[in-house]
Amino acid sequence: MSAARPSPTPPASPVPGGASVPAGSPVPAGSVAPSGASAAAATAVFVRLKLSLLRNGLRQSSGRTAAFVTSVVFTLLLAAGQLIGLIALRGNDHATAVVVLLTALMALGWAALPLFFPSGDETLDPTRLVMLPLEPRRLVGSLLIASLVGIGPLFTLVLAVGSVIAVAHGAAAVAAGVIAAPLVLLVCVTFARAVAAGNIRLLTSRKGRDLAVLSGLFIALGTQFVNLGVQKLSSSEGLASLEPAAEVLRWVPPAAAVDAVRSAGAGAYGVALAQLALTAVAGALLLWWWQRSLTRLMTAPDGSTLQAASEPSGKAGRASAGLSALLPAGRVGTVAQRTLRYAWRDPKAKASWATSLGVGLLVPFVTAVQGNGSVYVACWAAGLLGMQMYNQFGQDTSAFWMVSLTISSTRDAYLELCGRALALAVVAVPYVTLTVLGTAAFLGQWDAFPEALGLALALLGALTATGAIGSALFPYSIPQDSGYKNVAPGQVSLAWTSILGGMVAGAALCLPLLGVTVWLHLADARNWLWVILPLGALYGWGLSLLGLRLAAPRTAARLPEILTAVSKG
C-alpha cells in the first residue's frame, strides 16, 4: 500500500479589510484585527462604498439626481456666503461670540440630524456591518474617514475655517486655528456617528419612526427660537446680546476649539491649550462611545433574537391596570383608554397631539419674550387641544368598522363620544391649568389668572362640543400611506367645514362668558373677577355635555355614511 497522502491545507478565504482566515473556520464578529496595511485597505473600501451608495442612489431617478444637484449648489452657495460673512466679521468686537455660538449650533445640528432623519444616510446604520469580521476599534477609524466624504462635512469645514479667520490675529492664533478647524470637523462628525450608533435600534424601530414624524414639530419650535434670536439681534444691543451665552459656550466643545484661537491671539496660551485639549478629550470620549456602541451591536443580541421576558409584560400589565383604575368602569373608561393608547402609539395621532402640546406652550412664551405677553394668550393651549376632538372617527381610519359594530343605539353612540371626550379632558384640563398658571407666574399677572383659566376651560368645553358634532356631520379619512397628508383626496372641503366651522361656533359659544368678564372690568368690579373661574369651568362642562347629547343621535343615524367617509383613501 502506498503511504496515505497528507490532506492539503485548506486555502485561506479573504475577509473585508484584507485579513484572511482558513476556509471553514468560524469567524466571529470582531475576532479579526487587521494590520496597518489592512486597516488602510478597509478605509479605502468604506470610502468607495460611500461613493457607490451615493452614485447608485442618484441612478434611481432623474428627479433624485436633480434634487441632489440642487441641494449641492444651494449648500455651496450658502457656505460661500457664510464664509464671506465671517471674513467680513473679522475685527468686530463681538466676532468671538458669533463664531462660538455658530460652532455650538452646528455641533447640535450634527447630533440631532441622525435622530430625526435616520434613513437619510444608509452608512449611518452600523447594524449593516455586524457580520463583518472587523475589530470595532479599527472599524471606527475607517468609518470616520468615510464619514468625511460628503457635502455636509465640506460645509462644516468651510464654516470652521471661516470662524477661525474671523478671530485669528497673530501667528499663535493662526497656529491654533490650523488645529482647531479640523478638530471641530472631527468632533461634529464623530458626534453624529456616536449618536447614531448608540440609538440605532431605537431609530430603526417603530418608536424611532415616530420620532422622525415629530421632526416637523422640533423644526417649528427651532424656527421660533431662531426668530426670537433674530429679533434680539435687531434690538439696540445687537451682537452684544450674544455675549452672555458665548461666555458659557466658550468652554463647551467643539466651540471651545474656536475660542482657543481667540485666546492664543490674546496671548493666553495656557487657556488656548486647555480649550484645545478639552475639545480633543471630548472627541476621544465620543470615539470611545461610538466604539462601545459598535461592540455592543456586534456582540449583544437584540430583541428579535430573544424570547420576550415575562417581567416587561408584567410591567405593561401593571401600567395598564393603573391606567384603568383612574378611569371609570364600563364603556366610557374603555373607550377613553383606547383613545389614549391610539394617541400614544399611532404616529399621526402622536404627531398631532405633540404639535398641539408644544405649540400651546410655545405661543405664550414667544409673546412674553417679545414683550407682548398676556396671560390670556394661554387660551391658545385650550384651543389647540380642543381641536383634537374634531374628526374623532376619521382618526380611527378603516379600523372604525370594528367600533361601528358596537354602536346600535343612541346611548351606545353617546357613551362612545363620552369616552373620547374624557380622554381629551384627562390630558387637556391639567395641561391648560398648568399653562395658564405658568404664564401668569412668568408675567407676574396673578390677578388675571382666575379669569384667564375660566375662559380657557370654557373654550375647551365649547370646542369639545362642536368637535363632537362636527365628527358626526363632517367625517373624513386620514391617509395612512403618506406622512404629509392629513385629508384624503376629495374630502378637503369636509375638513375645512368641520374645523373652521367648529372653531367659529366654539368662539361664538364663549361670547356670553367673555361678555360677563368685560362687564366686570368696565364696572370696576375686579374683586368679583374670581367668579369667572368656577363659571367658566361649569359653563365649559355644560357645553361639552350638550354637544355630546346633540352629536350622539346624529352619530347613530349616520353611522353608514361615517363608516364610508373614514374608510376612503
Side-chain angles (χ1 to χ4, degrees), residues 402-460:
M402 299 182 65
V403 177
S404 66
L405 296 177
T406 66
I407 300 176
S408 58
S409 64
T410 300
R411 178 165 178 77
D412 291 337
Y414 176 71
L415 294 177
E416 176 73 23
L417 289 170
C418 283
R420 294 170 184 258
L422 176 61
L424 175 62
V426 166
V427 178
V429 172
Y431 170 79
V432 170
T433 302
L434 291 176
T435 301
V436 178
L437 181 64
T439 305
F442 186 76
L443 297 174
Q445 300 178 2
W446 289 108
D447 55 337
F449 167 72
E451 55 187 291
L453 181 57
L455 291 172
L457 294 176
L459 178 61
L460 179 63

Side-chain angles (χ1 to χ4, degrees), residues 379-404:
C379 290
W380 270 93
L384 290 171
L385 269 185
M387 299 282 293
Q388 299 302 316
M389 192 62 192
Y390 289 83
N391 196 33
Q392 277 291 312
F393 308 125
Q395 296 176 23
D396 294 350
T397 63
S398 58
F400 178 68
W401 73 270
M402 299 182 65
V403 177
S404 66

